[in-house]
Every structure is written in structure tokens, then in C-alpha cells.
Amino acid sequence: MKLGIWLGRFIFAIIWAVLLANVVWPFQGSAYGVFLLLLGILVIMHLLQLGMFVATYKHVINWRRGDYWQVFIFGIIGWLAIMHRQRNQ
């Protein structure tokens, strides 16, 4: 499980790097718009996931300060990391 979490974080880090690189150094042609759209969709999806997880498990899980960012950045992989940590405590 731990290897899967780190592999997922690595993959999400690459996805974020590519999408944010498009903002700093715009890609040529229509790829610029497509990657901006994908960045927007990713941000919205992760904010929705964060809202759902917090609303559902606020009273069940001891949330740490960085857990919110972890879910926002890594999505479901961040949630799996939090659940894995809770099981090991």
C-alpha cells in the first residue's frame, strides 16, 4: 500500500508539473487552451473531493494541518495516505 501511495504521488506530481508548466511557458497552438482546461478540471475535482472527504469524515478522522493540502494536491491518493496513516496509529 505504501509503495502505491508514493507511486500515485509521483504520478500526480508529474501531472501538476506539466499543467503548471503550461501556465509559465505556454505550449504552442491549441494545446495551451486544452491544458488550461485540464488544469481547471483538476483543481475543481480535487476541491470537490476535499469537500466530500471533510464533510463525511470530519468527526471520524483526526485531521492534521497538512491533510487538507494532501487531498487537494494528490486527490484520492492523498486520501488513501491519510487512511493508511490512521490504520497504522
Side-chain angles (χ1 to χ4, degrees), residues 62-75:
N62 183 18
W63 287 81
R64 293 183 183 169
R65 185 176 179 188
D67 288 345
Y68 299 101
W69 284 107
Q70 183 167 217
V71 172
F72 175 69
I73 294 171
F74 300 115

Side-chain angles (χ1 to χ4, degrees), residues 10-84:
F10 178 72
I11 291 170
F12 265 105
I14 291 173
I15 292 170
W16 277 107
V18 169
L19 292 176
L20 292 174
N22 181 55
V23 174
V24 179
W25 301 288
F27 299 149
Q28 298 297 322
S30 62
Y32 176 70
V34 171
F35 279 94
L36 280 181
L37 179 66
L38 290 175
L39 178 62
I41 290 170
L42 183 68
V43 168
I44 290 169
M45 282 179 44
H46 283 205
L47 286 173
L48 285 172
Q49 285 179 350
L50 178 60
M52 289 185 320
F53 293 151
V54 169
T56 304
Y57 294 103
K58 181 78 170 174
H59 304 293
V60 179
I61 292 179
N62 183 18
W63 287 81
R64 293 183 183 169
R65 185 176 179 188
D67 288 345
Y68 299 101
W69 284 107
Q70 183 167 217
V71 172
F72 175 69
I73 294 171
F74 300 115
I76 193 71
I77 301 299
W79 176 247
L80 291 174
I82 294 168
M83 296 301 292
H84 183 69

